[in-house]
Amino acid sequence: MRRTTPPRPIDVTAVLPQLAPLARPAIRLHPRPGSPTPLDSSVGGPLLWPAGEPWPHCDELHEWYDSELDEWREGPNAMLPVAQLYVRDVPLLRPPGQADVLQLLWCPFEHEPDYKPPTRLFWRSAAEVTDLLAVPPVTAAVEYDEYVPERCVIAPEEVTEFPHSLQLGKELQQQLEDWNGGQESGAAFYKHELSLAPGWKAGGWTPWGLTDPIVQNCAVCDAEMTPLLTIASKEWHSRRLSWVPYEDRDIAAVAGSGVENSPRVQISGGNHLQLYVCPESPEHPHSDLIQ
Ligand SMILES: [Zn+2]
Ligand SMILES: [Zn+2]
């Protein structure tokens, strides 16, 4: 499976050369329904998980109805696979040591105080997993179905991104305002067509907008953290189709196909979950926020 983003309508660095040093690679994941194996990169599992390693659980309080026992139960909740990314597919990942696969799980709840699903990240070396866990534990409690990803294969594709305009200096923001981007204001054209790729992605820049940009500092070494993974609620909007890959152009025109959100994930009603990693060490704890 391959997905190809059309080239941007113009080279923005030809208009605003100050943006050139801010270019960053991002890898669009383009999740689509499929049947990945534990040896594949995927969204929604299955994970390459060692039989001898405890499955991660969320320790917050959960209640669920057990239909076999016909009673309400409470306790910790087995987390759900969200993404598994092999470095061979997403080479901008920076693994520790010999690790070559990154696994993300979450609990399908918006727990207080942040009202977002708690996330856990694991790095592992695929060659060391010889005895595979056959059946992961069932996630008994689900607050929102929108946090239960549909199983998808991915089609990683590298693109170039520039910062959200809120992350640019005042002078650059003003130049964008003054620039005539053709059919719309330069600022809107930059925001929608030239800066950030929509959809699930690794690396790149953060899709700010729900709040002003907030610097994320590592809890261990205080370094400024960088975007690791963006989990989106949509890969395109019906009126903004320039980021739709060539291979999806036909189906994007079919109303209700749902392909623009194949994993069926909605982050707090249509936002993004942005995960960050410390550039000094992948073993320092990650952070995340909703945008
Ligand atoms: Zn939980
Ligand atoms: Zn750190």
PDB file of all heavy atoms in Angstrom, residues 218 220-223 278 280-281 284, ligand 2:
ATOM      1  N   CYS A 218      11.217  18.406  29.358  1.00  0.00           N
ATOM      2  CA  CYS A 218      11.395  17.057  29.898  1.00  0.00           C
ATOM      3  C   CYS A 218      11.397  17.103  31.421  1.00  0.00           C
ATOM      4  O   CYS A 218      12.069  17.946  32.025  1.00  0.00           O
ATOM      5  CB  CYS A 218      12.704  16.470  29.377  1.00  0.00           C
ATOM      6  SG  CYS A 218      13.120  14.892  30.129  1.00  0.00           S
ATOM      7  N   VAL A 220      12.751  15.090  33.376  1.00  0.00           N
ATOM      8  CA  VAL A 220      14.017  14.609  33.941  1.00  0.00           C
ATOM      9  C   VAL A 220      15.143  15.608  33.722  1.00  0.00           C
ATOM     10  O   VAL A 220      15.858  15.968  34.651  1.00  0.00           O
ATOM     11  CB  VAL A 220      14.391  13.233  33.323  1.00  0.00           C
ATOM     12  CG1 VAL A 220      15.785  12.795  33.774  1.00  0.00           C
ATOM     13  CG2 VAL A 220      13.354  12.181  33.713  1.00  0.00           C
ATOM     14  N   CYS A 221      15.321  16.060  32.464  1.00  0.00           N
ATOM     15  CA  CYS A 221      16.509  16.877  32.152  1.00  0.00           C
ATOM     16  C   CYS A 221      16.143  18.287  31.715  1.00  0.00           C
ATOM     17  O   CYS A 221      17.035  19.084  31.416  1.00  0.00           O
ATOM     18  CB  CYS A 221      17.357  16.191  31.089  1.00  0.00           C
ATOM     19  SG  CYS A 221      16.629  16.257  29.433  1.00  0.00           S
ATOM     20  N   ASP A 222      14.872  18.619  31.641  1.00  0.00           N
ATOM     21  CA  ASP A 222      14.390  19.967  31.330  1.00  0.00           C
ATOM     22  C   ASP A 222      14.600  20.377  29.868  1.00  0.00           C
ATOM     23  O   ASP A 222      14.338  21.505  29.490  1.00  0.00           O
ATOM     24  CB  ASP A 222      15.025  21.005  32.266  1.00  0.00           C
ATOM     25  CG  ASP A 222      14.151  22.252  32.391  1.00  0.00           C
ATOM     26  OD1 ASP A 222      12.915  22.093  32.461  1.00  0.00           O
ATOM     27  OD2 ASP A 222      14.697  23.362  32.371  1.00  0.00           O
ATOM     28  N   ALA A 223      15.095  19.469  29.026  1.00  0.00           N
ATOM     29  CA  ALA A 223      15.261  19.813  27.602  1.00  0.00           C
ATOM     30  C   ALA A 223      13.893  20.089  26.985  1.00  0.00           C
ATOM     31  O   ALA A 223      12.871  19.560  27.444  1.00  0.00           O
ATOM     32  CB  ALA A 223      15.939  18.662  26.869  1.00  0.00           C
ATOM     33  N   CYS A 278      11.663  13.366  24.643  1.00  0.00           N
ATOM     34  CA  CYS A 278      12.847  14.157  24.986  1.00  0.00           C
ATOM     35  C   CYS A 278      13.928  13.922  23.923  1.00  0.00           C
ATOM     36  O   CYS A 278      14.259  12.775  23.630  1.00  0.00           O
ATOM     37  CB  CYS A 278      13.362  13.745  26.368  1.00  0.00           C
ATOM     38  SG  CYS A 278      14.917  14.562  26.794  1.00  0.00           S
ATOM     39  N   GLU A 280      17.031  14.413  24.267  1.00  0.00           N
ATOM     40  CA  GLU A 280      18.279  13.956  24.890  1.00  0.00           C
ATOM     41  C   GLU A 280      18.277  12.459  25.124  1.00  0.00           C
ATOM     42  O   GLU A 280      19.324  11.819  25.050  1.00  0.00           O
ATOM     43  CB  GLU A 280      18.498  14.676  26.235  1.00  0.00           C
ATOM     44  CG  GLU A 280      18.569  16.190  26.123  1.00  0.00           C
ATOM     45  CD  GLU A 280      19.717  16.637  25.239  1.00  0.00           C
ATOM     46  OE1 GLU A 280      20.773  15.989  25.269  1.00  0.00           O
ATOM     47  OE2 GLU A 280      19.530  17.624  24.497  1.00  0.00           O
ATOM     48  N   SER A 281      17.116  11.899  25.447  1.00  0.00           N
ATOM     49  CA  SER A 281      17.049  10.462  25.711  1.00  0.00           C
ATOM     50  C   SER A 281      15.639   9.928  25.494  1.00  0.00           C
ATOM     51  O   SER A 281      14.694  10.416  26.110  1.00  0.00           O
ATOM     52  CB  SER A 281      17.465  10.150  27.155  1.00  0.00           C
ATOM     53  OG  SER A 281      17.146   8.794  27.452  1.00  0.00           O
ATOM     54  N   HIS A 284      13.701   8.999  28.714  1.00  0.00           N
ATOM     55  CA  HIS A 284      13.013   9.962  29.582  1.00  0.00           C
ATOM     56  C   HIS A 284      11.519   9.910  29.277  1.00  0.00           C
ATOM     57  O   HIS A 284      11.120   9.639  28.142  1.00  0.00           O
ATOM     58  CB  HIS A 284      13.569  11.375  29.360  1.00  0.00           C
ATOM     59  CG  HIS A 284      14.976  11.535  29.844  1.00  0.00           C
ATOM     60  ND1 HIS A 284      15.720  12.676  29.666  1.00  0.00           N
ATOM     61  CD2 HIS A 284      15.786  10.664  30.509  1.00  0.00           C
ATOM     62  CE1 HIS A 284      16.927  12.515  30.210  1.00  0.00           C
ATOM     63  NE2 HIS A 284      16.986  11.303  30.724  1.00  0.00           N
TER      64      HIS A 284
HETATM   65 ZN    ZN B   2      15.106  14.537  29.025  1.00  0.00          ZN
END
